[in-house]
Amino acid sequence: MYKVGFIGLGNIGYNLAGNISKKYQTFIWNRTKEKSIKHSNEFNTQIIENITNITNCNIIMFCLPSHIEVHNIIDKLYNHINTNTIIIDCTSSDYKKQKEIYYKLQKNNITFFDAPVSGGPEKAKSGEITCMIGGDEKKFNEIEDVFKSFSNPQYVGEVGTASAIKSINNIMNVSHLCLAAEALKSLENIGIDKTIALNIINKSSGRSLMTEERIPKHIMEKNYNYGFSLGLMDKDVNLAKNIIKEPIMFSNIYSLLKQSLEKYGKDADYTEITKLFFEDNNLNK
Ligand code: NDP
């Protein structure tokens, strides 16, 4: 039976580690210890005091803001990580940097999967979150049950593939959101109630996850509490920018993100970007 070590109990990691602990002995480390104590009380997970001790686990998982925090910790642990250890990184990261760390770890026979997730805190909690996985396919088949303990796993190819898809997924997410906000605001400007418009669009072909879920739950109700920060979305959009070399459809989203970060700050919920359309009359084109 695998011993799983989990680093990073944020909005997503907290629940991923919680679900894993229902099937595997789980050891946790978080920069702010209070979250580890809460997690341990809730899921009976074991707190690791000295992060180096996480290398006693067969599987080490990460869910941190970006590859920078993850790779810094891997570098610190590097000389302690046993051969045959498996590292699963659920962070949304730069696909090229994930390839670099994979080659470095491979030299010591350490397996690395980039395994970003999609579905938000609610699906992380219910265990239905999608996990896209890049790495060795044979090894993935061996440990598929570990992935299944916290997600709906989708093997996609070599290391880096999953991170590239995730970056593109997220630029699509926030672009769909802004598209829907602009559409509803435009209808409002000609006197059409946006609730009526939204109901019809959700029965018609212009609908999306954003019109069906984010806009009714978070934007109409002004409950900007989806649980994904603007700063992290900006990171993902910038990663996507490195992939979409000459954007046509996506060309405005970079400036919208920049304006919303300046106005609402990196810790605001990413759904607050729609305030640019609904509450701000000085939107820069
Ligand atoms: P949070 O900001 O909620 O949590 C970040 C976690 O990283 C916390 O545990 C935090 O510790 C830790 N951390 C931050 N900086 C450092 C550091 N320098 N050293 C060690 N630990 C650090 O982020 P999320 O959980 O929302 O996101 C985590 C990852 O998952 C990101 O890559 C994000 O893009 C991705 N993601 C997020 C989704 C969401 O809906 N929230 C959906 C899908 C993917 P501390 O508690 O001390 O602050």
Side-chain angles (χ1 to χ4, degrees), residues 7-159:
I7 297 174
L9 305 173
N11 284 329
I12 294 293
Y14 190 91
N15 287 309
L16 301 185
N19 283 322
I20 293 164
S21 72
K22 293 170 192 164
K23 197 150 178 216
Y24 300 94
Q25 198 181 1
T26 304
F27 297 80
I28 50 167
W29 184 89
N30 193 67
R31 183 180 60 177
T32 308
K33 198 175 168 192
E34 285 69 30
K35 280 190 202 163
S36 301
I37 296 170
K38 184 170 178 272
H39 199 273
S40 175
N41 289 337
E42 189 173 341
F43 297 105
N44 206 17
T45 43
Q46 297 183 42
I47 300 174
I48 294 213
E49 302 285 346
N50 176 348
I51 194 168
T52 312
N53 293 336
I54 210 153
T55 54
N56 292 326
C57 296
N58 327 80
I59 296 180
I60 303 173
M61 294 186 59
F62 291 86
C63 191
L64 298 180
S66 73
H67 76 272
I68 298 168
E69 296 80 15
V70 176
H71 295 188
N72 279 344
I73 293 180
I74 292 180
D75 285 345
K76 264 194 223 152
L77 300 180
Y78 191 70
N79 291 327
H80 303 272
I81 305 176
N82 301 310
T83 326
N84 296 326
T85 300
I86 297 168
I87 296 183
I88 298 174
D89 184 8
C90 293
T91 306
S92 304
S93 285
D94 181 330
Y95 80 101
K96 285 189 183 158
K97 298 286 178 192
Q98 296 294 56
K99 283 180 195 285
E100 285 173 18
I101 197 83
Y102 160 73
Y103 289 123
K104 182 175 172 183
L105 293 166
Q106 201 187 30
K107 286 188 193 138
N108 273 7
N109 249 334
I110 299 162
T111 302
F112 181 83
F113 289 104
D114 66 326
V117 294
S118 178
E122 264 184 37
K123 288 202 168 161
K125 193 168 186 181
S126 68
E128 294 165 301
I129 201 159
T130 298
C131 182
M132 32 206 123
I133 298 133
D136 183 272
E137 190 168 10
K138 194 163 158 273
K139 206 76 183 172
F140 164 72
N141 291 331
E142 274 172 36
I143 62 157
E144 190 173 2
D145 282 348
V146 176
F147 286 104
K148 281 186 175 158
S149 71
F150 67 90
S151 72
N152 171 15
Q154 304 290 324
Y155 179 80
V156 292
E158 63 184 35
V159 169

Side-chain angles (χ1 to χ4, degrees), residues 258-277:
K258 190 166 174 283
Q259 290 178 61
S260 62
L261 274 175
E262 280 163 9
K263 288 187 171 134
Y264 315 122
K266 68 177 176 42
D267 294 327
D269 198 78
Y270 95 99
T271 54
E272 292 188 56
I273 195 171
T274 56
K275 286 183 185 170
L276 291 176
F277 297 92

